[in-house]
Amino acid sequence: MLNRLRFQPRLSLLSAAAALALGGCEMLEFSPNDYRSPKSQTDLTAKHLERLRQQPVPAGDTLRFVFTGDSQRFYDEAEDLVASVNQQPGIQFLVVAGDISDFGMGREMRWVDDHLSKLKVPYLTVIGNHDAIGNGREAYQHIFGPLNYSFVYGDTKFIMVDTNSREANFDGSTPNIPWVQQQLSSLGGARRQIVVSHVPPQDDDFDPSLRQSYARTLKEAPKLAFELNGHRHSFSIGQPFNDGVTYINSSAFSERMYIVLTVWGDKQFRLKQVKF
Amino acid sequence: MVRPFSLLLATAAVLLAPAAQAASEPEQAPKKTKAPTAAHPWYRPRHLVLQTGGGLGMVAAGAGYAYANNKVETDILLGYVPKRFAGSTLTLASAKMLYSPFTVQLAEQWQLKPLTVGAYFSYTHGTLNDEERGQYTKGYYWFSTDTRYGPLAGGRLSYVRPGSTREEPRHVSFYYELGSNDLYLISYAQNRNGLKFGQVLTLALGLKADF
């Protein structure tokens, strides 16, 4: 007992010194665009996908996840959102529909992760236009992962697409339509698909020369349940192209509301708004 | 992480070596007296600076002026960040205004300036997506991608190189500065629960040598 008591202060002193040294390294920032991050805050997409793989949902079971977006510069709200989501029973993960950061800086992405890493469930993101400011696109890839990626969870294939066309100066590259077509053409063992992107195709910030082909690509995907977007900060659900494709827009963190989506069957879903 | 430190150490060694030598030399300065103003015309910088961090470069080097009995300084730095730390090679031009009100004489040749407060301004060149003409409507993003400014606070420890009678003593100093920038501070101001003050701070370590 005595030994233990004598040992502990030394240990805590050591860990305090270690924390200071580590913190010092991070504080020694070369530029606001400097995206160096501790190991625990890099490749977050791959890490969260690995966590998902380790908690598989049995085939045929209902999919239930939290859908939100635009965490940018709303850290007080992020703290409250995490507390609220951690109370939700039966959810499998959380999706942030882009604009993790406000200024495209690595440190902001880490600040958001400081909160979201306290979620009991894994979380996945798609890049937003604010994450593509300055060298944000590089910071996002370092801290989170690829700009376009897909994964299968249970019966659902998720296709995460960079639709921040204005950030690419409407050069016809964003969104990458051939990639979206290729992703939608296969199910990878799933029975339905969900597309997630930040800027919705009906928005002025979406490349006007790609709008029709993007909407058509989604319309021609028979297994698509719906598309999820962020960017507009307020919740909406509708079929803006009147083509049978449902688009759901998330609330920003600042609106203190998120959505719980439950999906079953081919494309049936139920949507619950939760205030926090 | 190792490189900037070793660079700083190397520079420290180079800067301190002649001072040590000068200290051991006997007084044999020629009796030519020059007015201090001639030795230091107003446009000649008083010191050289080398630092790492503080959001101004992995390595930033420059020169500066001192006024008001060395209590006020202006430093101009040029910084460099390699591509692998930021996604593109960055060049940063920055200016600092510093005020150090107190000097504590620790020993004959050692001084401590326990407090330096100031502000900086920086411009970053080489950012990937920093607004092409016509890309955004006016005010689409209200902030500048490349221009940053913010407050600084720190301290320094100086070794005083003995100058000859006609010269002011020359200092070689190690300093640290804690700082932040406009965007980090706005983030903190609006999120007093969700962010801690320590999270918005940056640290700079540097050397300054009079010449």
Side-chain angles (χ1 to χ4, degrees), chain A residues 4 8 10 19-20 40 60 88 104 110 120 128 229 234 253:
Chain A
R4 224 204 227 160
Q8 264 172 353
R10 258 168 63 190
L20 209 83
S40 61
Q88 289 292 338
R110 294 199 297 272
K120 289 179 188 164
N229 298 116
S234 66
F253 279 36

Side-chain angles (χ1 to χ4, degrees), chain A residues 24-36 73-77 79 102-105 107-108 110-111 114-115 129-130 132-135 137-139 142 166-170 205 231, chain B residues 1 5 52-58 81 83-88 90 127-129 132 135-136 140-143 145 148 178 181 183-184 186-187 190-195 199-203:
Chain A
C25 265
E26 254 180 85
M27 278 172 72
L28 209 60
E29 187 173 84
F30 299 159
S31 147
N33 297 302
D34 175 357
Y35 56 52
R36 289 170 305 142
R73 212 176 359 129
F74 305 129
Y75 305 100
D76 281 355
E77 290 84 353
E79 193 172 28
D102 200 18
F103 314 117
M105 293 171 177
R107 207 186 264 223
E108 296 180 275
R110 294 199 297 272
W111 289 340
D114 287 340
H115 288 292
N129 59 302
H130 280 256
I133 298 170
N135 287 12
R137 214 179 260 125
E138 313 300 314
H142 184 74
R166 193 178 288 280
E167 271 41 53
N169 221 349
F170 297 142
D205 294 326
H231 195 52
Chain B
M1 194 89 300
F5 281 121
T52 180
L56 303 180
M58 179 182 89
V81 182
K83 185 178 174 194
R84 68 196 161 110
F85 297 139
S88 64
L90 303 175
T127 321
L128 294 171
N129 180 25
E132 285 176 37
Q135 186 175 358
Y136 302 109
Y140 187 89
Y141 295 124
W142 58 269
F143 55 91
T145 308
R148 292 275 71 77
L178 292 171
N181 67 49
L183 301 183
Y184 290 175
I186 281 170
S187 302
Q190 295 175 336
N191 295 277
R192 302 299 291 278
N193 297 318
L195 280 183
Q199 290 180 284
V200 301
L201 291 182
T202 61
L203 172 69

Side-chain angles (χ1 to χ4, degrees), chain B residues 18-19 22-23 25 27-41 44-46 69-70 111 160-171 210-211:
Chain B
E25 270 171 22
E27 276 293 323
Q28 50 173 347
K31 297 278 179 249
K32 270 186 267 171
T33 41
K34 257 189 201 170
T37 42
H40 278 152
R44 179 193 181 282
R46 178 86 179 98
N69 202 17
N70 289 333
Q111 282 178 357
V160 188
R161 297 165 64 182
S164 59
T165 47
R166 67 202 155 85
E167 275 182 327
E168 276 186 79
R170 289 182 286 183
H171 301 76
D210 293 340
F211 72 106

Side-chain angles (χ1 to χ4, degrees), chain A residues 52-159:
Chain A
L52 270 185
R53 259 189 292 280
Q54 293 182 4
Q55 50 156 71
V57 56
D61 254 31
T62 303
L63 172 76
R64 183 172 292 135
F65 64 99
V66 170
F67 172 50
T68 181
D70 302 77
S71 51
Q72 50 186 109
R73 212 176 359 129
F74 305 129
Y75 305 100
D76 281 355
E77 290 84 353
E79 193 172 28
D80 298 342
L81 176 133
V82 167
S84 171
V85 170
N86 279 344
Q87 305 288 317
Q88 289 292 338
I91 54 158
Q92 291 140 358
F93 59 95
L94 175 141
V95 171
V96 189
D99 278 3
I100 319 301
S101 67
D102 200 18
F103 314 117
M105 293 171 177
R107 207 186 264 223
E108 296 180 275
M109 297 177 195
R110 294 199 297 272
W111 289 340
V112 170
D113 179 66
D114 287 340
H115 288 292
L116 297 188
S117 63
K118 292 186 182 123
L119 286 166
K120 289 179 188 164
V121 292
Y123 77 92
L124 291 155
T125 62
V126 70
I127 187 169
N129 59 302
H130 280 256
D131 304 315
I133 298 170
N135 287 12
R137 214 179 260 125
E138 313 300 314
Y140 179 91
Q141 289 177 87
H142 184 74
I143 294 169
F144 292 101
L147 308 182
N148 295 310
Y149 67 100
S150 68
F151 63 96
V152 173
Y153 186 63
D155 285 332
T156 314
K157 179 178 185 178
F158 282 83
I159 300 162

Side-chain angles (χ1 to χ4, degrees), chain B residues 46-129:
Chain B
R46 178 86 179 98
H47 51 257
L48 297 173
V49 190
L50 183 74
Q51 80 162 41
T52 180
L56 303 180
M58 179 182 89
V59 184
Y65 298 87
Y67 344 81
N69 202 17
N70 289 333
K71 284 182 174 157
V72 181
E73 291 158 293
T74 307
D75 293 353
I76 309 288
L77 301 176
L78 208 59
Y80 162 76
V81 182
K83 185 178 174 194
R84 68 196 161 110
F85 297 139
S88 64
T89 304
L90 303 175
T91 315
L92 297 97
S94 58
K96 287 191 216 170
M97 273 301 268
L98 303 167
Y99 174 57
S100 313
F102 318 110
T103 303
V104 181
Q105 196 72 38
L106 296 175
E108 197 185 338
Q109 291 184 326
W110 292 92
Q111 282 178 357
L112 180 74
K113 287 193 170 169
L115 177 72
T116 298
V117 291
Y120 74 94
F121 165 92
S122 75
Y123 177 80
T124 305
H125 172 79
T127 321
L128 294 171
N129 180 25

